[in-house]
Amino acid sequence: MVDSTERLPMVRVTETGRETTVDVVVTEFPLTIVLNERPVVTLLCSPANLDYLAVGFLFSEGLLRGEEDIREIAVDQEAGTVLVKTKKAILPSSKRLVASGGGRGAPFAPLNKQAKVDSSLEIKTSEVFALMDDFIRRSAVFRATGGVHSAALCDRGGVLVFNEDIGRHNAIDKVFGQCMLQGIQTAGHLVVTSGRVSSEILLKVARRNAPLLISKSAPTTMGVMMAGELGMTLVGFARAGKANIYTNEWRVLDGR
Amino acid sequence: MVDSTERLPMVRVTETGRETTVDVVVTEFPLTIVLNERPVVTLLCSPANLDYLAVGFLFSEGLLRGEEDIREIAVDQEAGTVLVKTKKAILPSSKRLVASGGGRGAPFAPLNKQAKVDSSLEIKTSEVFALMDDFIRRSAVFRATGGVHSAALCDRGGVLVFNEDIGRHNAIDKVFGQCMLQGIQTAGHLVVTSGRVSSEILLKVARRNAPLLISKSAPTTMGVMMAGELGMTLVGFARAGKANIYTNEWRVLDGR
């Protein structure tokens, strides 16, 4: 288990004075992902589950189509690298979209190529609230430091896969990377995130055919628009007992 | 004045039922920055002050040394572009660092080339708390939508320049871009941000020679380490009445 936090000395000041103490600070780790001996990107991330992150990132960027493309994965925690080799040659383009407060974009997977998410999944409001309870309870690093995002793959009954990272994009990539490596189905399931839902986040979830995305935070206009166009249900500001449904509300049913 | 939010229909659910209503959602706008007729990047941002964002971004990336490099700036809000022309030819490399939850990195300005920030600026704790009060009061879009970040350049007396954006990197780039275009000095001043302080954010502020960075949120380990190495004072979790000082605490004085 890699530690995603460090204890650092710190001075706490208030209106009445100061005291020297120790704070738990979230680790920022530079990870270089190398695809077929070519460095693709350096991500700043939390240093746990680097293989999940690498695989999830490469999938989000359209550089892997699935687990079946992967020949070999080698994580070197010391060097800060994950080396991924594919069965067939894949050449990353150097063009990329870079985005606000998170953004890496999905230049290889534009919206006009993304198929609608076709799923008859429905969930009760009481199940949404129970999921959020469970999700928030698991966010241990966040509680300690106030500095990380969480993401989870869920079904109606609860959390199936859970990951944390200082980046909201990374947290979701880790979830989907883990699903790919462990053969866990994402189609027809729910995704929960602590972070804002921008167009990029929405697109990541659409690419895994998960029809329902629930966030503790706000969506953006492009996130809402895309969710509508792709047939997805987007829920924001979800907490125990309250949530906003922006698109395709039919998937969320009244009652317990 | 460009509107950085839109009103969208939404269904609010609680444990007792649902109601159709309208929510204020923060706008996500794709901006392409073109430097000397070559597209450098597409940022997802809030659609206000695009000239500030373009100039601040190019400076952060090391593609502008200062206002004196700029020959012409043309904002086309409809097309979603800012065209910047420089007096001398500048050729952007295509290499870039891409980062967690925000990250665009500063591939042209690595830490080992960044000089220490030399400033004898000091501030009283009561002034820090008053600044945070002022800063939080100004964050109007955040209050409406829960979805944007703010950043400000300040002196001990108050806020000098204030900007908001869906991205915490963009908000700081807008502040520094405005300073460059309006000839406002940043050296020896304070920067306040609503967002997490990662290494990239720290480096942006160091490049403008501002010795004191105050955040409402958490720092990362690399943010703290860099602040120490560059002689900067890093304050986190600052609210009215409480703050954590991670480095160079001598700049923050007890008393009113």
Side-chain angles (χ1 to χ4, degrees):
Chain A
M1 181 70 192
V2 177
D3 197 349
S4 289
T5 61
E6 289 173 40
R7 293 171 66 83
L8 296 180
M10 178 265 290
V11 175
R12 179 166 288 139
V13 291
T14 62
E15 275 158 354
T16 57
R18 66 179 64 201
E19 62 167 333
T20 301
T21 175
V22 166
D23 197 17
V24 177
V25 178
V26 71
T27 303
E28 182 185 351
F29 183 85
L31 170 69
T32 299
I33 300 174
V34 181
L35 179 63
N36 297 329
E37 304 187 343
R38 186 165 157 175
V40 174
V41 73
T42 298
L43 301 173
L44 299 175
C45 64
S46 300
N49 299 342
L50 299 180
D51 49 347
Y52 300 161
L53 177 56
V55 168
F57 175 85
L58 292 172
F59 181 85
S60 284
E61 297 283 312
L63 296 169
L64 288 178
R65 282 160 308 175
E67 207 273 319
E68 66 279 7
D69 281 345
I70 301 172
R71 199 178 73 209
E72 193 186 322
I73 304 177
V75 177
D76 186 337
Q77 196 92 26
E78 288 287 302
T81 58
V82 176
L83 312 183
V84 178
K85 290 187 181 166
T86 55
K87 288 172 187 162
K88 290 181 187 168
I90 294 172
L91 280 185
S93 142
S94 67
K95 184 170 185 295
R96 59 171 54 263
L97 175 72
V98 173
S100 75
R104 304 185 306 225
F108 306 100
L111 180 60
N112 53 22
K113 285 189 188 161
Q114 179 60 44
K116 273 199 166 196
V117 178
D118 184 22
S119 166
S120 58
L121 174 74
E122 294 179 339
I123 185 170
K124 291 181 186 162
T125 53
S126 58
E127 291 168 331
V128 170
F129 300 149
L131 268 184
M132 287 312 294
D133 264 354
D134 189 8
F135 180 77
I136 290 165
R137 246 195 322 270
R138 292 189 193 219
S139 303
V141 174
F142 185 81
R143 282 199 304 271
T145 67
V148 303
H149 281 292
S150 318
L153 182 82
C154 308
D155 63 14
R156 290 174 57 165
V159 171
L160 303 172
V161 168
F162 181 88
N163 276 277
E164 294 181 316
D165 199 280
I166 52 168
R168 65 197 163 89
H169 293 76
N170 294 342
I172 287 190
D173 281 344
K174 281 181 177 177
V175 167
F176 288 146
Q178 181 173 357
C179 291
M180 283 175 64
L181 291 176
Q182 299 182 348
I184 298 165
Q185 175 188 320
T186 56
H189 281 162
L190 293 79
V191 172
V192 180
T193 172
S194 62
R196 187 179 63 226
V197 178
S198 59
S199 54
E200 298 171 280
I201 296 291
L202 203 283
L203 210 48
K204 280 182 196 290
V205 177
R207 283 172 64 74
R208 296 304 306 182
N209 290 306
L212 210 163
L213 176 56
I214 303 175
S215 172
K216 227 175 73 179
S217 309
T220 68
T221 50
M222 277 174 74
V224 173
M225 188 199 71
M226 277 194 192
E229 284 179 12
L230 295 174
M232 295 169 65
T233 300
L234 176 58
V235 180
F237 294 106
R239 328 244 152 168
K242 215 158 72 176
N244 295 350
I245 314 176
Y246 293 92
T247 55
N248 292 295
E249 57 149 329
W250 59 268
R251 283 202 182 88
V252 182
L253 308 172
D254 284 333
R256 312 192 69 78
Chain B
M1 179 71 191
V2 177
D3 197 350
S4 290
T5 60
E6 289 173 39
R7 293 171 66 81
L8 296 180
M10 178 264 289
V11 175
R12 180 166 288 136
V13 292
T14 64
E15 275 155 355
T16 57
R18 67 179 63 201
E19 63 168 331
T20 300
T21 174
V22 166
D23 197 17
V24 177
V25 178
V26 71
T27 304
E28 183 185 351
F29 182 86
L31 171 69
T32 299
I33 300 174
V34 181
L35 180 63
N36 297 329
E37 303 186 346
R38 187 166 157 173
V40 174
V41 73
T42 298
L43 301 174
L44 299 176
C45 65
S46 301
N49 298 342
L50 299 180
D51 50 344
Y52 299 162
L53 176 56
V55 168
F57 176 85
L58 291 172
F59 181 85
S60 284
E61 297 283 314
L63 295 169
L64 288 178
R65 283 159 308 176
E67 208 272 322
E68 67 279 8
D69 280 345
I70 301 171
R71 199 179 71 208
E72 193 185 322
I73 304 177
V75 177
D76 186 337
Q77 195 94 22
E78 287 287 302
T81 58
V82 177
L83 312 183
V84 179
K85 290 186 181 166
T86 56
K87 288 174 187 161
K88 290 182 187 167
I90 293 173
L91 280 184
S93 143
S94 67
K95 184 171 184 297
R96 59 172 55 262
L97 175 73
V98 174
S100 74
R104 304 185 306 225
F108 306 99
L111 180 60
N112 54 23
K113 285 188 187 162
Q114 179 59 46
K116 274 200 165 194
V117 178
D118 184 23
S119 166
S120 58
L121 174 74
E122 294 178 338
I123 185 170
K124 291 180 186 165
T125 53
S126 58
E127 291 168 329
V128 171
F129 301 147
L131 267 185
M132 286 312 292
D133 264 353
D134 189 8
F135 180 76
I136 289 165
R137 244 194 324 269
R138 293 191 192 219
S139 303
V141 174
F142 185 82
R143 279 199 306 270
T145 68
V148 302
H149 281 291
S150 319
L153 183 83
C154 310
D155 64 13
R156 289 175 59 165
V159 171
L160 304 172
V161 168
F162 182 88
N163 276 277
E164 294 181 314
D165 198 281
I166 53 168
R168 63 195 165 89
H169 294 75
N170 294 343
I172 287 189
D173 281 343
K174 281 181 177 176
V175 166
F176 288 147
Q178 182 174 357
C179 291
M180 281 174 66
L181 290 176
Q182 298 182 348
I184 298 165
Q185 176 188 320
T186 57
H189 281 163
L190 294 80
V191 172
V192 180
T193 172
S194 61
R196 188 179 62 226
V197 178
S198 59
S199 54
E200 297 171 280
I201 296 290
L202 203 284
L203 209 48
K204 280 181 197 291
V205 177
R207 282 173 65 73
R208 295 305 307 182
N209 290 307
L212 212 163
L213 176 56
I214 303 175
S215 172
K216 227 174 73 179
S217 310
T220 68
T221 50
M222 276 173 73
V224 173
M225 187 199 74
M226 276 194 193
E229 284 179 12
L230 295 175
M232 294 168 65
T233 300
L234 176 58
V235 180
F237 294 104
R239 326 242 153 169
K242 215 156 74 176
N244 296 349
I245 313 175
Y246 293 91
T247 55
N248 291 296
E249 57 148 327
W250 59 267
R251 282 203 183 88
V252 183
L253 308 172
D254 284 332
R256 309 193 70 80

